[in-house]
Amino acid sequence: MLQLIRTNSENSDFINLIKKLDAYLKITDGDDHDFYDQFNGIDVIKHVVVVYKNNKAIGCGAIKHFDDAHVEIKRMFVDARERGLGIAPKILTNLEIWAKELGYKKCVLETGERQIEAVKLYQKSNYKRMQINYGQYKGIVNSLCFEKEI
């Protein structure tokens, strides 16, 4: 049975999942990892969703304030053994609902072009590719930025 819990970035299960995510991204991002990693600190993240299956943490995601109207989707991850079971869309939907409850109008996010599964998830979830990358990702060729009204 799946259970989605709203928490914060101090949650130890979230921290452990982020360690797995960072290890995965270090491989897929290659030489670009250090650039992206500087924007992924969890100390500024206040809203986190952790997914449990049979009381074991298997996935997570977070939202981070971007501006008064926008929230940024961050730190999306599902353990490799649990992928393909529809868990990531559940996390994303829960984050979107939470963002709307907090008064945000739009979600934005960045993912790397090498994160093929993530790109597919966001496209299936009706995120639209931005013509110009936002914030620190402007001009970064390997970055793909998306947005969605909620």
Side-chain angles (χ1 to χ4, degrees), residues 40-101:
N40 288 326
I42 62 172
D43 56 322
V44 294
I45 294 175
K46 308 278 186 257
H47 302 91
V48 169
V49 170
V50 177
V51 178
Y52 294 87
K53 181 178 179 182
N54 301 322
N55 297 318
K56 182 180 180 209
I58 60 164
C60 63
I63 51 177
K64 178 180 146 192
H65 174 82
F66 186 74
D67 63 29
D68 289 343
H70 300 78
V71 67
E72 187 176 20
I73 303 290
K74 300 291 289 180
R75 312 303 359 226
M76 288 286 296
F77 179 74
V78 174
D79 189 272
R81 296 170 296 219
E82 305 293 340
R83 292 183 188 154
L85 302 175
I87 296 167
K90 286 180 171 68
I91 296 169
L92 188 57
T93 298
N94 194 286
L95 292 171
E96 292 168 352
I97 291 167
W98 199 359
K100 193 170 186 174
E101 290 170 1

Side-chain angles (χ1 to χ4, degrees), residues 117-130:
E117 297 91 353
V119 171
K120 288 179 184 177
L121 166 67
Y122 300 132
Q123 289 172 334
K124 285 182 183 178
S125 301
N126 297 316
Y127 279 77
K128 304 296 180 209
R129 175 97 185 267
M130 300 170 80

Side-chain angles (χ1 to χ4, degrees), residues 3 21 33 54 57 61 71 83 88 95 107 118 136:
Q3 185 179 20
L21 170 60
H33 180 70
N54 301 322
V71 67
R83 292 183 188 154
L95 292 171
C107 293
Q136 63 268 23

